[in-house]
Amino acid sequence: MGNVERNGQELSACQQYQTLLAVSEAIVSHRDLATLFHDLAGRLHLVVRFDYLACVLHDATSNTMRLHVLETTEPIPVQAPDAFSVEEDPAGIALQTQHPLIVSSVAEESRWPQLPERAKLYGVHSVCYLPLTTARRHLGVLTFASKQPVAYDTADLDFLQQVANQVAVAVENALAFDEIEALKDKLHQEKVYLEEEVRTEHNFDDIIGESAALRRVLKEVEAVAPTDSTVLILGETGTGKELIARALHDLSPRRERTFVELNCAAIPTGLLESELFGHEKGAFTGAITQKVGRFELAHRGTLFLDEVGDIPPELQPKLLRALQEQQFERLGSTRTVRVDVRLVAATNRDLAQMVAEHRFRNDLYYRLNVFPVVLPPLRERREDIPMLARHFIQRFARRMGRRIETVPAAVMDALVRYPWPGNVREMQNIIERAVILSPGPSLRVALGDLQLAATQTQAPAGEPVTLADAEREHILGVLHETGWVVGGPKGAAARLGMKRSTLQKKMKKLGISRPE
């Protein structure tokens, strides 16, 4: 007598029909596989003897069988391996042959040496494997497992396979729904990135200058862009590392795909792994939905990791693997995701020194440092400053509806002489402020503030300088340069960007008088 039974009697055709109807009701009521199997377990317990009901799916990428859902009436005693090769488990054989398979006594089973050891963890003695197959694909196996030996009989197989056939349709629909939701989420996030691309107004034309130092960099960019080699952009803050990264993407064969950026210093350490690789629903507290990471978003495109030196040591091995093998797992998932990503990284840190101090993995450093591009600071390409200044003046004047037609020579001279510790980004901010404060067609810059900042920047280390002392020294320097001419277009007041009367008041306050 088979063990598909009710009150010790084999199921009649009517009872089998009612059971299949109940299975159908469960299937149409649930889209989530975990919820579906919980409902199925409750309904099937009335007619099938089992302690565990499992859905084992085939992962074609790794050719492994993976435990997808496990439903049981008792707490799971241990966390057993949830993935195994097709050949080392009867579930794989049932999938390959597309025939149900019964193991009546697991302890005596010799065909699959690892099966008794795994089954012992759960206290399982007999198992029934049923292929989950639809008209379109072979999905995996539905498994009934019992702590009793010889719990399943070949007489049960026709009915149980009918149950499995219904479950297969539900599993296929659930997987398709998950894939659609993941694709929708990825497309939505790609749309957000593309919209951000449009808003940022960054393009290759924004790399302004004709200096030898800049031409050298652009020549290197032009040479490496058509390749898939990893590029490491090195330079001080504000030198334009992001513009170079975008230029590499725009000049590459990947230009039609997405350019994805992540500032590693701007993301809290605990969330950086999720930002890079994504996570599954429930992977950690607050993970209420599945998230696609930046690596997946950049598939077939370019991933730009800014401030890569800020990646914490515990995350560096996973990043290294993702770069070397172009594959990774989301947080909370065992499924391997394969991608095709070209990486561009940037940092203002000395990574070689960090490697020497054991704060950065040397193998990751070598993987990133395939093609280094060193950006010169603005003070090393002063001949580009006038061109950059005019570019920013035109941009901000156009945006604000202003007309700035001239830049006084004293203003341009001060801009060229200023050391620009914040590089191009600092210049952009100062020019924007100047455009706002210029009421007429001539650009007005607070030269006193600008030149005072230069004086403070160049002050010897360890030598205390008060604001009044620095201001006094600077005014004295400008007065000496102008032959102590205070007024007029070439006088000290014009160079300092202030009125003659204001300068005279400052001179009096600071005790500055013309020498005899």
Side-chain angles (χ1 to χ4, degrees), residues 91-298:
I93 302 302
L95 176 74
Q96 290 179 322
T97 62
Q98 285 295 291
H99 290 297
L101 179 62
I102 292 175
V103 177
S104 297
S105 179
V106 172
E108 299 175 5
E109 184 56 60
S110 60
R111 289 173 292 176
W112 302 281
Q114 295 184 22
L115 177 61
E117 183 178 344
R118 285 204 308 270
K120 186 177 181 180
L121 296 173
Y122 294 94
V124 167
H125 288 280
S126 56
V127 192
C128 178
Y129 302 91
L130 303 145
L132 290 173
T133 305
T134 67
R136 287 179 290 275
R137 55 197 288 200
H138 297 168
L139 298 164
V141 173
L142 179 67
T143 303
F144 292 93
S146 175
K147 296 181 179 180
Q148 301 298 321
V150 197
Y152 307 101
D153 191 280
T154 53
D156 307 331
L157 290 180
D158 285 344
F159 167 69
L160 292 178
Q161 188 60 59
Q162 290 183 62
V163 173
N165 291 342
Q166 287 187 295
V167 173
V169 175
V171 170
E172 183 177 52
N173 290 340
L175 293 177
F177 178 77
D178 288 344
E179 291 170 2
I180 291 170
E181 286 298 302
L183 183 59
K184 282 171 60 180
D185 183 55
K186 183 178 179 182
L187 290 174
H188 171 71
Q189 295 197 38
E190 283 186 347
K191 178 175 178 286
V192 171
Y193 276 107
L194 292 173
E195 287 175 347
E196 185 63 29
E197 289 284 298
V198 173
R199 286 195 297 270
T200 53
E201 299 181 352
H202 288 311
N203 53 57
F204 192 57
D205 294 334
D206 276 342
I207 303 176
I208 305 298
E210 296 179 349
S211 63
L214 184 61
R215 286 201 304 269
R216 171 186 56 78
V217 169
L218 296 183
K219 189 173 181 180
E220 291 175 351
V221 169
E222 207 170 32
V224 74
T227 73
D228 271 341
S229 297
T230 300
V231 178
L232 178 61
I233 306 172
L234 304 167
E236 296 178 7
T237 298
T239 48
K241 296 187 284 293
E242 181 185 348
L243 289 179
I244 295 298
R246 291 176 185 274
L248 285 163
H249 175 73
D250 292 342
L251 294 174
S252 76
R254 299 171 180 261
R255 67 180 69 89
E256 300 301 326
R257 309 296 295 189
T258 310
F259 176 89
V260 176
E261 177 185 3
L262 177 64
N263 187 324
C264 301
I267 306 295
T269 301
L271 299 178
L272 188 55
E273 182 176 1
S274 172
E275 285 294 327
L276 281 169
F277 305 110
H279 64 249
E280 298 294 338
K281 179 180 178 181
F284 52 85
T285 302
I288 58 175
T289 60
Q290 184 189 74
K291 178 181 175 65
V292 176
R294 305 294 174 101
F295 263 93
E296 282 182 83
L297 286 171

Side-chain angles (χ1 to χ4, degrees), residues 32 103 116 132 256 267 306 322 330 405 428 441 467 479 499:
D32 176 70
V103 177
L132 290 173
E256 300 301 326
I267 306 295
D306 200 3
R330 292 177 185 158
E405 298 174 352
Q428 180 176 335
L467 185 61
L479 286 168
K499 294 179 181 179

Side-chain angles (χ1 to χ4, degrees), residues 26-45:
I27 287 171
V28 298
S29 301
H30 307 289
R31 193 163 52 189
D32 176 70
L33 283 184
T35 308
L36 168 63
F37 270 72
H38 182 73
D39 192 355
L40 280 177
R43 297 173 189 253
L44 291 174
H45 260 302

